[in-house]
Amino acid sequence: MIGFFPVQTEGMLQIGHFEEFLSSLEEPEFLKEFRKKADSLLQSAKFPDLHLESWRKLNLSNFKLSEYQNPCPPSAIEFSTGKFAEVKKISELDRQGWDRLRPLLEAFLSSYESEWVTLLAASRFTHAYYIKLLNEVPEDFHPEVVVDCEGGDFILPLFVIEVPDRLKGRFSERWKSASKEGFVFMNGITLLNIRAEADFQYSALENLGDSTFRFRTVRAFQERDSKFHASLAIWGGYKGKAFFDSEVVGKGAWTRYAGLSPLCKREFQDTEIRILHKESHAQSSILFRVVARDKAHNVFTGNLHIPSNCKDVSAVQINNNLLLDRTARAESIPKLEVFADSVKCEHGATVGEIDEEQLFYLASRGISKEEARRMIVEGFLAEVIREFPSESIREELTRMIETRMLGEA
């Protein structure tokens, strides 16, 4: 088993109990060494507070590690991959397999050497898997992993997904948690290694209970002439922060993020998408749309970084927010860090309510106010929904949006 050791759960997440936790693990030394490196960085990292740029909108004063004592069991992770992916526990890799992963993991640690939440998951992960895509997937099948925070009050999964050279593939992550009396804690890392000329569609769907603290770090490494399309749907939860990052290390790469977040009640979600271009002749784009009702609050940050050595790069980021109630909030923080000359960059952000003139026009055509609101909300999110690679997922999202935004969520 990977990281699920009931005898030491009391100190598993506590910063001062790491050596005791480590000694209880039945893992190969190479994996323990990785945990040690992550923990050494964690010791000097600052706990997220309002003084840190990426965390200044999220108040974690009521988040206490000591409250989480019961890790979710191995059954909390469930794969459905068929013949289209090979799944192995990282602890069961041989030395050669680990040596292939090590450069990727070490590069990851260096990129997040001061990010406390990410380092906590890297040093104390409860489950760890290596997933290698094998074959092109037919339209009627969608390989996925389900992370269900059930049977415990915290889970910290680590996934490494490899997309081989020239492979056209897709894979989904689903995160689930139920509403409970006490808080639950979900904090995961996903590393996507997208090789040369690969064409990869990644989806993340998160359906969270209203007592869930949820944190996510997803990082993609793109080699030359690769294509990466990420479709994101995030809803529910108590408070959450997610980093979706792409490091474009090869020439001719194409990167696309399309995301939506329909929030209600008092839900708070903070999503940050960062694309770092390191090579020339590349294209990237971000489209993220939010609908918020009641007292929900969403923060979106988009960051495009293009250093001076890059040429012929086109980058766009768009964030649109629709508020259904005056008490709902949405904040948009676009960032462009462009140090090159021969590039084309655009950004745009909007926050607004449903246009009364639209409602009046539809009412004049005999459409009720409720039906008009449904049409406007669905039309607002339809462009993003169309980018999900499965008809069943698109239908699921349409039903969810209608229930959450227009029904009794």
Side-chain angles (χ1 to χ4, degrees), residues 147-304:
V147 179
D148 191 347
C149 195
E150 187 61 44
D153 59 16
F154 72 91
I155 188 168
L156 287 72
L158 167 64
F159 301 123
V160 179
I161 302 174
E162 181 152 5
V163 188
D165 292 349
R166 295 178 293 282
L167 179 71
K168 182 176 182 180
R170 61 177 185 264
F171 195 84
S172 291
E173 283 188 69
R174 286 180 176 269
W175 280 39
K176 297 164 53 179
S177 64
S179 296
K180 300 180 180 180
E181 274 194 32
F183 288 121
V184 297
F185 172 39
M186 304 180 76
N187 179 16
I189 296 170
T190 303
L191 301 184
L192 308 171
N193 196 23
I194 306 166
R195 299 288 190 176
E197 300 180 49
D199 185 347
F200 179 50
Q201 290 184 297
Y202 168 80
S203 301
L205 295 94
E206 303 188 17
N207 179 6
L208 307 174
D210 59 15
S211 56
T212 300
F213 279 102
R214 154 268 190 195
F215 305 102
R216 293 275 272 129
T217 306
V218 179
R219 188 170 185 85
F221 295 86
Q222 282 187 255
E223 295 185 1
R224 62 172 179 82
D225 297 319
S226 62
K227 292 184 178 180
F228 172 51
H229 185 288
S231 304
L232 316 174
I234 303 162
W235 69 96
Y238 172 60
K239 290 181 180 179
K241 171 75 179 184
F243 296 101
F244 292 95
D245 299 331
S246 281
E247 185 172 345
V248 184
V249 298
K251 291 183 178 180
W254 180 91
T255 309
R256 169 69 167 174
Y257 283 88
L260 60 89
S261 191
L263 302 179
C264 61
K265 300 178 182 177
R266 293 179 177 270
E267 297 162 357
F268 180 100
Q269 293 295 343
D270 185 333
T271 302
E272 189 161 348
I273 299 177
R274 303 179 291 197
I275 302 177
L276 170 59
H277 288 276
K278 287 190 171 181
E279 280 290 356
S280 302
H281 312 297
Q283 297 181 55
S284 69
S285 60
I286 300 170
L287 172 63
F288 200 90
R289 288 189 172 169
V290 175
V291 179
R293 58 178 280 196
D294 306 323
K295 294 185 178 181
H297 185 180
N298 189 86
V299 178
F300 174 80
T301 302
N303 193 329
L304 298 171

Side-chain angles (χ1 to χ4, degrees), residues 15 22 41 56 58-59 66 69 77 108 205 216 249 256 313 375 392 405:
I15 305 304
L22 199 65
L41 294 171
R56 61 191 178 90
L58 179 54
N59 186 344
S66 59
Q69 303 286 337
I77 306 288
F108 168 78
L205 295 94
R216 293 275 272 129
V249 298
R256 169 69 167 174
V313 174
M375 293 172 62
S392 62
M405 296 295 97

Side-chain angles (χ1 to χ4, degrees), residues 38-165:
D39 181 70
S40 66
L41 294 171
L42 178 67
Q43 299 300 325
S44 57
K46 186 177 180 182
F47 181 82
D49 64 26
L50 303 181
H51 296 95
L52 296 175
E53 177 63 22
S54 288
W55 294 89
R56 61 191 178 90
K57 299 293 183 177
L58 179 54
N59 186 344
L60 293 178
S61 60
N62 61 340
F63 173 73
K64 310 293 182 185
L65 271 184
S66 59
E67 294 181 359
Y68 307 100
Q69 303 286 337
N70 185 22
C72 294
S75 59
I77 306 288
E78 185 175 345
F79 288 91
S80 175
T81 61
K83 64 180 181 179
F84 304 103
E86 175 186 33
V87 179
K88 287 185 178 180
K89 294 179 179 180
I90 292 180
S91 65
E92 295 176 354
L93 293 175
D94 58 22
R95 187 73 205 197
Q96 186 177 12
W98 172 254
D99 286 342
R100 288 197 300 269
L101 283 190
R102 184 171 56 188
L104 182 71
L105 288 165
E106 290 182 350
F108 168 78
L109 284 183
S110 67
S111 297
Y112 296 89
E113 60 184 6
S114 60
E115 194 57 68
W116 189 93
V117 165
T118 304
L119 295 170
L120 180 73
S123 60
R124 290 157 175 81
F125 53 82
T126 55
H127 309 69
Y129 288 91
Y130 169 67
I131 303 113
K132 182 178 181 180
L133 303 191
L134 300 176
N135 301 299
E136 185 172 343
V137 184
E139 289 295 325
D140 58 350
F141 186 78
H142 204 89
E144 68 177 20
V145 59
V146 177
V147 179
D148 191 347
C149 195
E150 187 61 44
D153 59 16
F154 72 91
I155 188 168
L156 287 72
L158 167 64
F159 301 123
V160 179
I161 302 174
E162 181 152 5
V163 188
D165 292 349

